[in-house]
Amino acid sequence: MDPVIVVGAGPVGLTLALALARQEVPSVVLDEGPGADAPRAARTGVLREDTAALVERLAGTPLGGAGLRWAGWRSLRRKQVMLDIAFADDDPAPLHIAQHVLTGALRAAVAREPLVELAVDSRLDSMEQESTGVTVHTRDPGGTWWRGSYLVGCDGPRSTVRKLQDIRFPGRTAVERHAVAAVRTELPRPGEAFLHRLPPWRTTGPFAGEIAARPLPDDVWRLDWLLPPGKDLVTPELLLARIRETLIGWTGETSPSYELLDTGVHTVHHRVARRWRAGRIFLAGDAAHLLGALGTQGLDEGLRDADNLAWKLAPAWHHGPHEGLLDSYQTERRAIVAARLRAADQLLPVLRGGGGLRSLVPGSGRGHDALLMDGHLGHGALGAPGAYSDSPLTPPPLDGEILVDTPAGAPVADVLVTTEDGSFVPLRERLGRGALLVVLIAPGTGVWERRHWVSAGIMPRLAAAVTALPHPAELLVAESYPGAAPHTVLLVRPDGHLVTALSGVRPADLYTAAEAALGGAGRTEDRAEAGAR
């Protein structure tokens, strides 16, 4: 079987290749560059807890030292603190990391992975697909032909893959613009990110009244100034004046000390491709969608694309076509991104309009700051991880189905579980291996050695049911799970989204749910028909 061809060696393409390798699927990553990213301190990404854990699993190294998990978040309006949040275990901090550092960690992991071939200086210029695979040609010193089973375009906003497939990319241009600077300096309350709206000092040049400050390691800060609509030129002199003015305002010093590391202008576009799949060709990351207004993070969504697609390509590569499963990638991921864009488009006039009656309504400023916080911190419609509630992989109604605190289709909580060898690990560590996860909630098992309860009670019957499933599955045991009663059985997808929760051991329901999760049953229309009966 030919490898999967991944076009693009950014964080999304490298993550996809490593996720495929974890499921024993070989890949070739076509990198049009020389194999290393130029350091850009002002080009950063914010990863939510689960996507940071995904990258750490695949890279084989913690990212905490390479990036920074914020200690807290503040929102200020003029001189008033509107919101002040300290992160805790039940509300974990996002990870802020320079993109070239993230890419470097992933490249190092690829170099150690025998199932991934990285082809540098390989720019795609043509491709053809047949029923059995994809053939591409790259423009390199020798001109090379590559043969793959599938192809995934992770080649950014100007995606060659998308253009060669003539896939439309509609949306809005320049939804927001930000002047960006990375500076090394000391600010009050180090390690805390904050958003300052309408700062009281005088604004110079073409800058609107909103500044985001996000800390990085080694006293480095990324500062973003929202620019007003239009194409006003941000000159180096204006930006330097704005940096100095901002630091004076925040520190109270007349001559604040800082080192300027990097600058740029970041323009946010909102676009989503009409199709994310064309036969054996797929789009992911910025090739499939662009977002980023109001603090939302396109990189985070791109990593979720890779996680979603990898476990669906693996069964198709190993066992032959799984058309329903492969089709669900576009259905699930496009719906989540489109909902995120709709939420941002609806809130932009409210949050960026300024003035008017809204500014006179008591509490309106605090409400606006809370909405902006959602995008930056990964909460609400702007930022929370999406649930695949209308997925074609949803099972039909099951007799034993019950509700837990995690809705069906949403990411599961990262509880501690006991594995088949008796070790205790976070649930997230068992994700991404290609297997379904079956989690039994059994209070009290944590205080006994596994050999004392593995053959007792309902365990033998559940183990037999797991062995009989239509796809490899791993049986895990947890002391507790939010909202779950004892003997609840959870079925979890390889990407960590809940398929269903069952009351006790129900082999027939478990089999039906697993079959549906693999694209073999449980269509949305089946659920509708069942509900009508």
Side-chain angles (χ1 to χ4, degrees):
M1 188 74 166
D2 294 316
V4 174
I5 298 175
V6 179
V7 182
V12 175
L14 295 172
T15 296
L16 176 62
L18 290 168
L20 289 170
R22 193 176 173 93
Q23 297 167 75
E24 300 182 351
V25 177
S27 63
V28 174
V29 181
L30 304 181
D31 182 1
E32 69 174 36
D37 287 4
R40 288 292 311 275
R43 190 180 185 191
T44 66
V46 178
L47 306 184
R48 315 308 182 205
E49 182 194 19
D50 55 343
T51 46
L54 165 67
V55 174
E56 289 178 337
R57 284 198 307 272
L58 296 175
T61 182
L63 295 177
L68 187 72
R69 286 184 168 86
W70 301 335
W73 168 270
R74 282 180 299 145
S75 181
L76 300 93
R77 185 179 178 86
R78 298 185 175 91
K79 295 183 178 181
Q80 182 181 2
V81 176
M82 307 296 289
L83 297 168
D84 195 344
I85 296 172
F87 294 112
D89 290 342
D90 59 347
D91 186 21
L95 175 71
H96 188 206
I97 187 168
Q99 187 160 314
H100 71 272
V101 174
L102 174 62
T103 305
L106 292 168
R107 285 186 185 275
V110 163
R112 299 188 299 267
E113 177 51 65
L115 287 176
V116 181
E117 177 183 356
L118 182 62
V120 300
D121 296 319
S122 298
R123 183 174 184 176
L124 177 71
D125 61 9
S126 68
M127 62 184 182
E128 296 179 0
Q129 70 166 311
E130 310 88 35
S131 60
T132 57
V134 183
T135 302
V136 305
H137 183 266
T138 55
R139 192 184 310 160
D140 52 52
T144 305
W145 290 95
W146 303 86
R147 178 70 178 175
S149 53
Y150 296 92
L151 181 145
V152 186
C154 305
D155 49 343
R158 296 179 176 86
S159 171
T160 302
V161 174
R162 189 185 65 240
K163 292 174 182 176
L164 290 175
Q165 284 296 297
D166 196 24
I167 296 175
R168 293 184 59 202
F169 199 38
R172 300 173 59 195
T173 299
V175 177
E176 287 187 346
R177 287 197 312 145
H178 298 261
V180 183
V183 300
R184 180 175 283 111
T185 190
E186 293 185 7
L187 292 179
R189 300 177 69 167
E192 292 190 8
F194 60 96
L195 183 72
H196 199 163
R197 306 184 73 200
L198 303 177
W201 55 83
R202 178 178 178 272
T203 299
T204 58
F207 293 89
E210 181 176 303
I211 314 166
R214 303 180 183 94
L216 287 161
D218 301 323
D219 293 325
V220 175
W221 292 79
R222 170 173 165 166
L223 309 180
D224 289 61
W225 293 268
L226 178 66
L227 298 172
K231 297 182 179 180
D232 292 330
L233 182 64
V234 180
T235 65
E237 293 77 17
L238 281 173
L239 185 54
L240 287 172
R242 190 60 168 138
I243 292 171
R244 177 179 170 81
E245 182 183 72
T246 299
L247 295 181
I248 290 173
W250 285 340
T251 65
E253 300 176 6
T254 55
S255 298
S257 174
Y258 71 93
E259 178 186 358
L260 181 61
L261 303 176
D262 191 18
T263 63
V265 174
H266 174 52
T267 302
V268 175
H269 308 291
H270 277 183
R271 297 186 180 277
V272 60
R274 291 290 191 196
R275 293 180 294 144
W276 293 26
R277 182 189 182 193
R280 290 177 172 265
I281 297 172
F282 299 82
L283 300 177
D286 287 351
H289 52 78
L290 295 175
L291 68 163
L294 305 180
T296 56
Q297 293 292 323
L299 175 59
D300 193 81
E301 292 294 349
L303 296 176
R304 295 182 194 279
D305 295 344
D307 195 26
N308 184 289
L309 182 56
W311 80 267
K312 296 173 180 178
L313 281 173
W317 192 90
H318 285 293
H319 307 296
H322 280 58
E323 294 305 311
L325 189 60
L326 294 177
D327 282 342
S328 72
Y329 164 68
Q330 171 178 302
T331 304
E332 291 181 343
R333 292 301 307 148
R334 194 178 188 280
I336 293 296
V337 171
R340 194 87 72 221
L341 290 176
R342 283 194 299 272
D345 286 343
Q346 290 167 0
L347 290 172
L348 271 167
V350 176
L351 297 176
R352 301 301 191 217
L357 293 175
R358 291 190 186 93
S359 63
L360 303 178
V361 177
S364 64
R366 183 173 295 274
H368 290 183
D369 285 289
L371 288 171
L372 282 168
M373 179 189 69
D374 285 349
H376 286 277
L377 300 188
H379 300 159
L382 282 176
Y388 304 133
S389 54
D390 295 323
S391 169
L393 306 184
T394 302
L398 304 169
D399 292 338
E401 193 171 23
I402 58 174
L403 297 178
V404 295
D405 285 0
T406 302
V412 293
D414 190 27
V415 297
L416 196 68
V417 296
T418 307
T419 65
E420 293 180 1
D421 65 3
S423 59
F424 296 90
V425 299
L427 179 56
R428 284 201 184 109
E429 286 193 11
R430 310 309 296 175
L431 299 176
R433 300 169 184 264
L436 297 169
L437 303 181
V438 178
V439 185
L440 170 67
I441 312 306
T445 52
V447 301
W448 300 96
E449 290 188 27
R450 184 177 182 275
R451 60 189 175 89
H452 293 307
W453 50 259
V454 70
S455 60
I458 64 174
M459 278 297 292
R461 186 164 177 248
L462 179 57
V466 171
T467 302
L469 291 179
H471 188 76
E474 181 179 11
L475 176 56
L476 305 168
V477 178
E479 279 271 334
S480 63
Y481 188 88
H487 295 171
T488 296
V489 175
L490 308 177
L491 181 63
V492 182
R493 298 176 5 165
D495 61 351
H497 287 254
L498 181 67
V499 179
T500 190
L502 301 173
S503 59
V505 180
R506 296 174 175 265
D509 283 353
L510 191 62
Y511 189 97
T512 298
E515 189 177 46
L518 297 170
R523 306 293 188 189
T524 304
E525 55 266 28
D526 294 337
R527 288 182 63 89
E529 291 174 6
R533 287 197 295 268

